[in-house]
Amino acid sequence: MAIVVTFKRTKALRMSIVKNGDVHVSAPIGTPRSVVEKFIEENKAWIEKARENTRERQQQRYDFFNQLPLDTREKCDEALEKLKALIPPMVDKYAKLMNVKPNQVYYRATISKWGSCDVKRRNICFSAYLLLLPKWCVEHVVVHELAHLIVPNHGKDFYAVMDRFFPKWKEAKEETKRIAGEMKNEE
């Protein structure tokens, strides 16, 4: 795991741990290298604790996603059948309530996103790994992606749509994060 130092227009030294465990340090332009090295040295305990937390979260995510092996054509076909039984009824229900109509719904084995919406084409993609979540959490993802057909961004209008059609979306999102061991800023 590396330590990456970037000099930029910032007022103070900052440090973060990224998903792979690397340490990213931002330093104000002109900061002497010795000051940066001292900052890193003084924060060694924090770095180790943050890296350990990152490793634990990654292991939890690995364990979670491995509950649904998709390593053979047969397993993929079986997952697809389950998805087709679970998701289209939810899409139909909420599309009618929300007065939207996606052009196409399809599935991929994505672990970085539960779903995505191509607003221009009005296509929605759902992760096969939704099969590992409780039904109400899957429902949250369905409503979330359909809501993008009304509001393409994640602004206040988008969340007003979520509040209207799936009032427990915050709880579902938190439960999904808890179950899957998601790291911050993933959707």
Side-chain angles (χ1 to χ4, degrees):
M1 291 180 256
I3 296 178
V4 179
V5 178
T6 307
F7 293 91
K8 53 172 85 172
R9 292 182 183 162
T10 182
K11 292 185 180 194
L13 284 162
R14 299 188 194 282
M15 185 180 309
S16 63
I17 305 291
V18 295
K19 291 177 191 175
N20 69 358
D22 285 356
V23 177
H24 284 199
V25 177
S26 298
I29 295 170
T31 303
R33 192 80 170 158
S34 61
V35 171
V36 174
E37 289 169 0
K38 182 180 178 199
F39 177 71
I40 292 168
E41 185 61 37
E42 288 171 348
N43 287 285
K44 275 222 190 285
W46 179 87
I47 291 169
E48 284 311 308
K49 186 172 178 8
R51 281 181 167 166
E52 180 57 31
N53 289 341
T54 298
R55 279 190 291 273
E56 287 172 7
R57 282 193 308 270
Q58 286 175 331
Q59 185 63 49
Q60 185 180 359
R61 284 178 56 76
Y62 177 81
D63 294 344
F64 174 79
F65 288 108
N66 276 342
Q67 294 176 78
L68 183 66
L70 297 172
D71 52 354
T72 66
R73 179 88 241 134
E74 184 180 81
K75 290 176 185 175
C76 289
D77 290 345
E78 185 181 320
L80 182 59
E81 289 307 310
K82 288 178 181 176
L83 286 164
K84 287 181 176 180
L86 177 66
I87 298 206
M90 290 182 189
V91 169
D92 291 344
K93 172 186 171 182
Y94 284 101
K96 286 177 188 157
L97 284 171
M98 299 167 79
N99 197 28
V100 295
K101 184 169 174 40
N103 285 333
Q104 182 182 12
V105 173
Y106 59 99
Y107 311 95
R108 288 207 174 123
T110 59
I111 61 171
S112 60
K113 293 182 179 182
W114 295 111
S116 61
C117 179
D118 179 338
V119 177
K120 288 184 181 179
R121 292 185 178 92
R122 302 185 68 79
N123 293 339
I124 297 176
C125 180
F126 293 105
S127 172
Y129 293 102
L130 286 169
L131 293 172
L132 298 173
L133 297 178
K135 192 174 179 179
W136 74 290
C137 292
V138 176
E139 202 169 1
H140 157 251
V141 174
V142 168
V143 175
H144 181 107
E145 299 312 330
L146 289 171
H148 282 305
L149 297 177
I150 300 169
V151 181
N153 57 46
H154 288 117
K156 65 179 175 118
D157 292 341
F158 175 83
Y159 291 110
V161 170
M162 290 301 296
D163 287 337
R164 180 173 175 206
F165 293 104
F166 199 81
K168 291 191 171 197
W169 69 267
K170 289 178 189 169
E171 293 91 336
K173 184 175 179 177
E174 286 306 310
E175 180 67 1
T176 299
K177 285 181 179 182
R178 186 191 66 74
I179 292 169
E182 286 189 28
M183 297 174 86
K184 260 188 161 171
N185 299 325
E186 291 187 1
E187 179 116 7

Short mmCIF file of all heavy atoms in Angstrom, two decimals, residues 115-152:
data_model
loop_
_atom_site.label_atom_id
_atom_site.label_comp_id
_atom_site.label_asym_id
_atom_site.label_seq_id
_atom_site.Cartn_x
_atom_site.Cartn_y
_atom_site.Cartn_z
N GLY A 115 -27.80 -0.19 -9.06
CA GLY A 115 -28.58 0.08 -10.25
C GLY A 115 -28.06 1.33 -10.93
O GLY A 115 -27.28 2.09 -10.35
N SER A 116 -28.48 1.51 -12.17
CA SER A 116 -28.13 2.73 -12.89
C SER A 116 -29.24 3.04 -13.89
O SER A 116 -29.99 2.15 -14.28
CB SER A 116 -26.78 2.58 -13.62
OG SER A 116 -26.85 1.53 -14.56
N CYS A 117 -29.32 4.30 -14.23
CA CYS A 117 -30.35 4.75 -15.16
C CYS A 117 -29.72 5.61 -16.24
O CYS A 117 -29.07 6.62 -15.93
CB CYS A 117 -31.42 5.55 -14.42
SG CYS A 117 -32.73 6.18 -15.49
N ASP A 118 -29.89 5.21 -17.49
CA ASP A 118 -29.47 6.01 -18.63
C ASP A 118 -30.68 6.88 -18.97
O ASP A 118 -31.63 6.41 -19.61
CB ASP A 118 -29.08 5.10 -19.80
CG ASP A 118 -28.65 5.87 -21.03
OD1 ASP A 118 -29.03 7.06 -21.18
OD2 ASP A 118 -27.94 5.27 -21.86
N VAL A 119 -30.65 8.09 -18.50
CA VAL A 119 -31.80 8.98 -18.62
C VAL A 119 -32.17 9.25 -20.07
O VAL A 119 -33.35 9.25 -20.44
CB VAL A 119 -31.55 10.30 -17.86
CG1 VAL A 119 -32.71 11.26 -18.02
CG2 VAL A 119 -31.30 10.03 -16.39
N LYS A 120 -31.18 9.47 -20.93
CA LYS A 120 -31.46 9.77 -22.34
C LYS A 120 -32.16 8.62 -23.04
O LYS A 120 -33.11 8.82 -23.78
CB LYS A 120 -30.18 10.15 -23.08
CG LYS A 120 -29.65 11.51 -22.71
CD LYS A 120 -28.43 11.87 -23.53
CE LYS A 120 -27.92 13.24 -23.10
NZ LYS A 120 -26.74 13.64 -23.85
N ARG A 121 -31.66 7.42 -22.81
CA ARG A 121 -32.26 6.24 -23.46
C ARG A 121 -33.42 5.65 -22.65
O ARG A 121 -34.12 4.78 -23.12
CB ARG A 121 -31.20 5.17 -23.68
CG ARG A 121 -30.18 5.56 -24.71
CD ARG A 121 -29.23 4.39 -24.98
NE ARG A 121 -28.27 4.73 -25.99
CZ ARG A 121 -27.07 5.24 -25.76
NH1 ARG A 121 -26.67 5.48 -24.53
NH2 ARG A 121 -26.25 5.51 -26.75
N ARG A 122 -33.53 6.13 -21.39
CA ARG A 122 -34.57 5.65 -20.48
C ARG A 122 -34.42 4.14 -20.18
O ARG A 122 -35.39 3.43 -20.02
CB ARG A 122 -35.97 6.00 -20.99
CG ARG A 122 -36.14 7.51 -21.19
CD ARG A 122 -37.53 7.91 -21.58
NE ARG A 122 -38.52 7.73 -20.55
CZ ARG A 122 -38.71 8.54 -19.51
NH1 ARG A 122 -37.95 9.59 -19.35
NH2 ARG A 122 -39.66 8.31 -18.63
N ASN A 123 -33.16 3.70 -20.12
CA ASN A 123 -32.85 2.31 -19.80
C ASN A 123 -32.38 2.21 -18.36
O ASN A 123 -31.63 3.08 -17.89
CB ASN A 123 -31.75 1.77 -20.72
CG ASN A 123 -32.20 1.66 -22.15
OD1 ASN A 123 -33.39 1.61 -22.46
ND2 ASN A 123 -31.24 1.65 -23.06
N ILE A 124 -32.78 1.14 -17.70
CA ILE A 124 -32.40 0.94 -16.31
C ILE A 124 -31.70 -0.42 -16.19
O ILE A 124 -32.17 -1.42 -16.73
CB ILE A 124 -33.62 1.00 -15.37
CG1 ILE A 124 -34.24 2.40 -15.42
CG2 ILE A 124 -33.21 0.64 -13.94
CD1 ILE A 124 -35.50 2.56 -14.61
N CYS A 125 -30.59 -0.41 -15.48
CA CYS A 125 -29.83 -1.63 -15.24
C CYS A 125 -29.83 -1.91 -13.74
O CYS A 125 -29.65 -0.99 -12.94
CB CYS A 125 -28.40 -1.47 -15.74
SG CYS A 125 -27.38 -2.93 -15.48
N PHE A 126 -30.03 -3.17 -13.38
CA PHE A 126 -29.99 -3.57 -11.98
C PHE A 126 -28.91 -4.62 -11.78
O PHE A 126 -28.69 -5.46 -12.64
CB PHE A 126 -31.35 -4.14 -11.54
CG PHE A 126 -32.45 -3.13 -11.52
CD1 PHE A 126 -33.41 -3.11 -12.52
CD2 PHE A 126 -32.52 -2.18 -10.52
CE1 PHE A 126 -34.43 -2.17 -12.51
CE2 PHE A 126 -33.53 -1.23 -10.50
CZ PHE A 126 -34.48 -1.23 -11.50
N SER A 127 -28.27 -4.56 -10.63
CA SER A 127 -27.23 -5.53 -10.29
C SER A 127 -27.86 -6.87 -9.92
O SER A 127 -28.84 -6.93 -9.17
CB SER A 127 -26.40 -5.03 -9.11
OG SER A 127 -25.51 -6.03 -8.67
N ALA A 128 -27.24 -7.93 -10.39
CA ALA A 128 -27.70 -9.28 -10.02
C ALA A 128 -27.59 -9.49 -8.52
O ALA A 128 -28.36 -10.26 -7.93
CB ALA A 128 -26.86 -10.32 -10.75
N TYR A 129 -26.69 -8.77 -7.88
CA TYR A 129 -26.48 -8.94 -6.44
C TYR A 129 -27.60 -8.38 -5.58
O TYR A 129 -27.59 -8.56 -4.37
CB TYR A 129 -25.11 -8.38 -6.05
CG TYR A 129 -23.99 -9.18 -6.66
CD1 TYR A 129 -23.31 -8.71 -7.77
CD2 TYR A 129 -23.64 -10.42 -6.15
CE1 TYR A 129 -22.29 -9.45 -8.35
CE2 TYR A 129 -22.63 -11.18 -6.72
CZ TYR A 129 -21.96 -10.69 -7.83
OH TYR A 129 -20.96 -11.44 -8.40
N LEU A 130 -28.57 -7.73 -6.21
CA LEU A 130 -29.77 -7.33 -5.47
C LEU A 130 -30.46 -8.55 -4.86
O LEU A 130 -31.17 -8.43 -3.86
CB LEU A 130 -30.75 -6.58 -6.38
CG LEU A 130 -30.35 -5.16 -6.76
CD1 LEU A 130 -31.26 -4.63 -7.86
CD2 LEU A 130 -30.40 -4.24 -5.55
N LEU A 131 -30.22 -9.71 -5.44
CA LEU A 131 -30.81 -10.94 -4.91
C LEU A 131 -30.36 -11.23 -3.48
O LEU A 131 -31.00 -12.01 -2.78
CB LEU A 131 -30.47 -12.13 -5.80
CG LEU A 131 -31.09 -12.12 -7.20
CD1 LEU A 131 -30.51 -13.25 -8.05
CD2 LEU A 131 -32.61 -12.23 -7.12
N LEU A 132 -29.30 -10.60 -3.05
CA LEU A 132 -28.78 -10.83 -1.70
C LEU A 132 -29.39 -9.89 -0.66
O LEU A 132 -29.11 -10.02 0.53
CB LEU A 132 -27.26 -10.66 -1.69
CG LEU A 132 -26.47 -11.63 -2.57
CD1 LEU A 132 -25.00 -11.24 -2.60
CD2 LEU A 132 -26.65 -13.05 -2.08
N LEU A 133 -30.22 -8.96 -1.11
CA LEU A 133 -30.80 -7.97 -0.21
C LEU A 133 -32.24 -8.31 0.14
O LEU A 133 -32.93 -9.00 -0.62
CB LEU A 133 -30.79 -6.59 -0.87
CG LEU A 133 -29.43 -5.99 -1.19
CD1 LEU A 133 -29.61 -4.65 -1.90
CD2 LEU A 133 -28.59 -5.82 0.06
N PRO A 134 -32.72 -7.80 1.27
CA PRO A 134 -34.14 -7.94 1.59
C PRO A 134 -35.00 -7.25 0.53
O PRO A 134 -34.56 -6.27 -0.10
CB PRO A 134 -34.30 -7.23 2.93
CG PRO A 134 -32.92 -7.06 3.47
CD PRO A 134 -31.98 -7.08 2.31
N LYS A 135 -36.19 -7.73 0.36
CA LYS A 135 -37.07 -7.22 -0.69
C LYS A 135 -37.28 -5.71 -0.60
O LYS A 135 -37.29 -5.01 -1.61
CB LYS A 135 -38.41 -7.96 -0.63
CG LYS A 135 -39.29 -7.73 -1.82
CD LYS A 135 -40.54 -8.59 -1.78
CE LYS A 135 -41.41 -8.31 -2.97
NZ LYS A 135 -42.61 -9.13 -2.99
N TRP A 136 -37.44 -5.18 0.61
CA TRP A 136 -37.70 -3.75 0.74
C TRP A 136 -36.49 -2.92 0.34
O TRP A 136 -36.64 -1.79 -0.13
CB TRP A 136 -38.21 -3.41 2.14
CG TRP A 136 -37.19 -3.43 3.24
CD1 TRP A 136 -36.57 -4.53 3.77
CD2 TRP A 136 -36.68 -2.32 3.97
NE1 TRP A 136 -35.70 -4.17 4.77
CE2 TRP A 136 -35.75 -2.81 4.92
CE3 TRP A 136 -36.90 -0.95 3.90
CZ2 TRP A 136 -35.07 -1.98 5.80
CZ3 TRP A 136 -36.22 -0.13 4.79
CH2 TRP A 136 -35.31 -0.65 5.72
N CYS A 137 -35.29 -3.46 0.47
CA CYS A 137 -34.09 -2.75 0.01
C CYS A 137 -34.01 -2.78 -1.51
O CYS A 137 -33.60 -1.79 -2.13
CB CYS A 137 -32.84 -3.37 0.64
SG CYS A 137 -32.73 -3.11 2.43
N VAL A 138 -34.42 -3.89 -2.10
CA VAL A 138 -34.47 -3.98 -3.57
C VAL A 138 -35.49 -2.97 -4.10
O VAL A 138 -35.24 -2.25 -5.07
CB VAL A 138 -34.85 -5.40 -4.03
CG1 VAL A 138 -35.00 -5.47 -5.55
CG2 VAL A 138 -33.81 -6.41 -3.55
N GLU A 139 -36.61 -2.89 -3.42
CA GLU A 139 -37.67 -1.95 -3.80
C GLU A 139 -37.15 -0.52 -3.78
O GLU A 139 -37.45 0.28 -4.68
CB GLU A 139 -38.83 -2.12 -2.82
CG GLU A 139 -40.14 -1.64 -3.31
CD GLU A 139 -41.28 -2.09 -2.39
OE1 GLU A 139 -41.05 -2.75 -1.36
OE2 GLU A 139 -42.42 -1.76 -2.73
N HIS A 140 -36.33 -0.20 -2.80
CA HIS A 140 -35.72 1.14 -2.72
C HIS A 140 -34.89 1.42 -3.97
O HIS A 140 -34.96 2.50 -4.55
CB HIS A 140 -34.85 1.24 -1.46
CG HIS A 140 -33.80 2.29 -1.56
ND1 HIS A 140 -32.46 1.99 -1.68
CD2 HIS A 140 -33.87 3.65 -1.58
CE1 HIS A 140 -31.76 3.11 -1.76
NE2 HIS A 140 -32.58 4.13 -1.71
N VAL A 141 -34.08 0.44 -4.40
CA VAL A 141 -33.24 0.63 -5.59
C VAL A 141 -34.10 0.82 -6.83
O VAL A 141 -33.82 1.68 -7.67
CB VAL A 141 -32.26 -0.56 -5.76
CG1 VAL A 141 -31.48 -0.43 -7.07
CG2 VAL A 141 -31.30 -0.65 -4.57
N VAL A 142 -35.17 0.05 -6.94
CA VAL A 142 -36.08 0.17 -8.09
C VAL A 142 -36.67 1.59 -8.13
O VAL A 142 -36.64 2.25 -9.18
CB VAL A 142 -37.19 -0.90 -8.03
CG1 VAL A 142 -38.30 -0.60 -9.05
CG2 VAL A 142 -36.60 -2.29 -8.27
N VAL A 143 -37.18 2.06 -7.01
CA VAL A 143 -37.77 3.40 -6.97
C VAL A 143 -36.70 4.46 -7.25
O VAL A 143 -36.94 5.42 -7.98
CB VAL A 143 -38.48 3.66 -5.61
CG1 VAL A 143 -38.97 5.10 -5.52
CG2 VAL A 143 -39.62 2.68 -5.42
N HIS A 144 -35.51 4.26 -6.71
CA HIS A 144 -34.41 5.20 -6.93
C HIS A 144 -34.12 5.36 -8.42
O HIS A 144 -34.03 6.48 -8.93
CB HIS A 144 -33.16 4.70 -6.19
CG HIS A 144 -31.98 5.60 -6.32
ND1 HIS A 144 -31.53 6.39 -5.30
CD2 HIS A 144 -31.14 5.83 -7.37
CE1 HIS A 144 -30.46 7.07 -5.70
NE2 HIS A 144 -30.20 6.75 -6.95
N GLU A 145 -34.00 4.24 -9.13
CA GLU A 145 -33.68 4.32 -10.56
C GLU A 145 -34.85 4.88 -11.36
O GLU A 145 -34.65 5.67 -12.28
CB GLU A 145 -33.24 2.96 -11.10
CG GLU A 145 -31.98 2.41 -10.44
CD GLU A 145 -30.82 3.40 -10.33
OE1 GLU A 145 -30.69 4.30 -11.18
OE2 GLU A 145 -30.04 3.27 -9.36
N LEU A 146 -36.07 4.52 -11.02
CA LEU A 146 -37.23 5.10 -11.71
C LEU A 146 -37.33 6.60 -11.44
O LEU A 146 -37.74 7.37 -12.32
CB LEU A 146 -38.51 4.39 -11.28
CG LEU A 146 -38.70 2.97 -11.78
CD1 LEU A 146 -39.90 2.31 -11.10
CD2 LEU A 146 -38.85 2.92 -13.30
N ALA A 147 -36.95 7.02 -10.25
CA ALA A 147 -37.00 8.45 -9.91
C ALA A 147 -36.08 9.26 -10.83
O ALA A 147 -36.35 10.43 -11.10
CB ALA A 147 -36.63 8.65 -8.45
N HIS A 148 -35.02 8.63 -11.32
CA HIS A 148 -34.13 9.35 -12.24
C HIS A 148 -34.82 9.65 -13.58
O HIS A 148 -34.36 10.53 -14.32
CB HIS A 148 -32.84 8.57 -12.47
CG HIS A 148 -31.87 8.71 -11.35
ND1 HIS A 148 -31.43 9.92 -10.88
CD2 HIS A 148 -31.26 7.77 -10.58
CE1 HIS A 148 -30.59 9.74 -9.88
NE2 HIS A 148 -30.47 8.43 -9.68
N LEU A 149 -35.88 8.95 -13.89
CA LEU A 149 -36.64 9.26 -15.11
C LEU A 149 -37.46 10.54 -14.92
O LEU A 149 -37.93 11.13 -15.88
CB LEU A 149 -37.55 8.09 -15.49
CG LEU A 149 -36.82 6.79 -15.86
CD1 LEU A 149 -37.81 5.68 -16.14
CD2 LEU A 149 -35.87 7.00 -17.04
N ILE A 150 -37.60 10.96 -13.66
CA ILE A 150 -38.29 12.21 -13.35
C ILE A 150 -37.28 13.32 -13.09
O ILE A 150 -37.39 14.42 -13.62
CB ILE A 150 -39.22 12.03 -12.11
CG1 ILE A 150 -40.27 10.95 -12.38
CG2 ILE A 150 -39.87 13.35 -11.71
CD1 ILE A 150 -41.05 10.52 -11.15
N VAL A 151 -36.28 13.01 -12.28
CA VAL A 151 -35.22 13.98 -11.94
C VAL A 151 -33.88 13.26 -12.15
O VAL A 151 -33.58 12.31 -11.44
CB VAL A 151 -35.33 14.45 -10.47
CG1 VAL A 151 -34.25 15.47 -10.15
CG2 VAL A 151 -36.71 15.03 -10.18
N PRO A 152 -33.09 13.70 -13.14
CA PRO A 152 -31.88 12.96 -13.48
C PRO A 152 -30.73 13.04 -12.48
O PRO A 152 -29.82 12.23 -12.52
CB PRO A 152 -31.46 13.56 -14.82
CG PRO A 152 -32.09 14.89 -14.87
CD PRO A 152 -33.33 14.82 -14.04
#
